[in-house]
């Protein structure tokens, strides 16, 4: 075992990132293309996407569109950007962040970066090779940049993934900490970090819930009996 470069929890060699951090990165790579649609809907001044939460907000800008959204949607600059009018952000757009890490990945794998289309964006390319990425020395840097990017996107779209709690206890630690986050590929345990596929959770629930229901019913009957005797 070796420490995860992202969260310092144990990771099995030769991994440099633990399974839970890999799951988080995969969720972000699935979320970013979906959020890009909402970003486009937020571009016009005074608008927010209908799917967003938190109501509408108006940006005060001399541009006919929202500058914060334009920065996120803009293409990557071919070279250094010299800000002579103080209207540029030093935080890179979505395309720039994903393109840079896709380039790094292609270099690692020793092949040319494949052509990227709207049907096959950089996020998909990174997700397909995430098994390699979580064995590199740069996985923590990519994690941090994606984390910052997702936070910036959510601040514009007012759309936070919702976490739905699961009713069955965790098969690893027995805590009632299982839940599923929107766009995530796994059900995860907040207590111990266990990851389950939806099918694995369904099978686990089918085994444990009948016994838990019988136990709850027996406790309820016992409690009602004790209450009647006391009265």
């Amino acid at each position: 075992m070796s420490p995860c470069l992202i969260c310092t929890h144990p990771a099995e060699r030769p991994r440099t990132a633990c399974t839970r951090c890999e799951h988080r990165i995969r969720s972000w790579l699935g979320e970013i293309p979906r959020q890009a649609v909402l970003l486009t809907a937020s571009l016009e001044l005074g608008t927010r996407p209908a799917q967003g939460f938190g109501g509408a907000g108006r940006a005060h800008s001399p541009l006919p569109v929202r500058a914060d959204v334009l920065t996120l949607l803009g293409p990557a600059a071919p070279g250094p950007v010299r800000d002579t009018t103080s209207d540029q952000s030093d935080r890179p757009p979505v395309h720039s962040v994903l393109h840079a890490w896709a380039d790094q990945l292609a270099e690692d794998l020793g092949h040319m970066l494949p052509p990227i289309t709207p049907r096959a964006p950089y996020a998909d390319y990174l997700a397909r090779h995430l098994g390699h990425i979580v064995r590199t020395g740069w996985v923590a840097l990519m994690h941090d940049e994606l984390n910052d990017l997702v936070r910036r996107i959510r601040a514009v779209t007012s759309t936070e993934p919702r976490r739905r709690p699961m009713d069955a206890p965790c098969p690893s630690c027995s805590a009632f900490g299982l839940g599923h986050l929107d766009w995530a590929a796994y059900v995860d345990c907040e207590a111990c970090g266990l990851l389950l596929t939806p099918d694995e959770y369904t099978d686990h629930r089918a085994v444990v819930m009948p016994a838990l229901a019988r136990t709850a019913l027996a406790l309820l009957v016992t409690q009602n009996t004790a209450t009647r005797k006391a009265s």
Side-chain angles (χ1 to χ4, degrees):
M1 303 290 283
S2 58
C4 170
L5 296 181
I6 298 168
C7 69
T8 72
H9 283 89
E12 293 183 6
R13 294 183 182 276
R15 296 173 63 101
T16 52
C18 66
T19 304
R20 190 173 178 83
C21 289
E22 178 184 1
H23 167 55
R24 188 182 306 114
I25 293 172
R26 190 178 299 279
S27 297
W28 289 339
L29 292 173
E31 176 182 349
I32 289 170
R34 294 177 172 91
Q35 289 276 26
V37 177
L38 303 185
L39 279 176
T40 302
S42 305
L43 186 58
E44 205 171 313
L45 280 176
T47 63
R48 286 194 187 264
Q51 296 92 329
F53 303 105
R58 180 171 297 276
H60 300 285
S61 170
L63 299 175
V65 293
R66 292 183 58 180
D68 55 344
V69 183
L70 193 62
T71 297
L72 281 165
L73 291 176
V81 177
R82 292 175 175 82
D83 185 8
T84 58
T85 58
S86 299
D87 63 354
Q88 296 290 331
S89 169
D90 62 352
R91 304 175 82 181
V94 174
H95 175 83
S96 177
V97 173
L98 296 180
H99 178 260
W101 290 114
D103 257 349
Q104 176 65 62
L105 173 61
E107 181 180 330
D108 266 27
L109 296 176
H111 63 220
M112 297 292 293
L113 183 64
I116 301 298
T117 69
R119 291 181 177 273
Y122 290 120
D124 283 0
Y125 174 66
L126 292 167
R128 285 199 308 273
H129 297 284
L130 194 53
H132 170 80
I133 294 171
V134 297
R135 288 167 170 77
T136 67
W138 45 266
V139 63
L141 294 175
M142 190 182 96
H143 173 278
D144 291 348
E145 287 197 12
L146 290 180
N147 185 26
D148 177 69
L149 183 61
V150 168
R151 288 178 184 274
R152 290 160 55 204
I153 292 172
R154 290 175 182 173
V156 171
T157 64
S158 297
T159 305
E160 288 277 350
R162 293 168 298 177
R163 181 177 177 83
R164 294 181 293 107
M166 304 287 105
D167 51 6
C170 174
S172 177
C173 69
S174 300
F176 284 89
L178 293 176
H180 182 260
L181 193 69
D182 286 344
W183 304 318
Y186 295 93
V187 172
D188 68 277
C189 178
E190 289 185 311
C192 71
L194 180 72
L195 299 178
L196 298 171
T197 66
D199 287 344
E200 287 172 341
Y201 172 76
T202 299
D203 292 344
H204 166 63
R205 186 184 187 281
V207 171
V208 301
M209 290 308 291
L212 286 177
R214 289 193 296 270
T215 300
L217 180 60
L219 289 173
L220 183 60
V221 170
T222 301
Q223 182 180 10
N224 288 341
T225 301
T227 302
R228 285 197 300 269
K229 288 181 178 179
S231 59

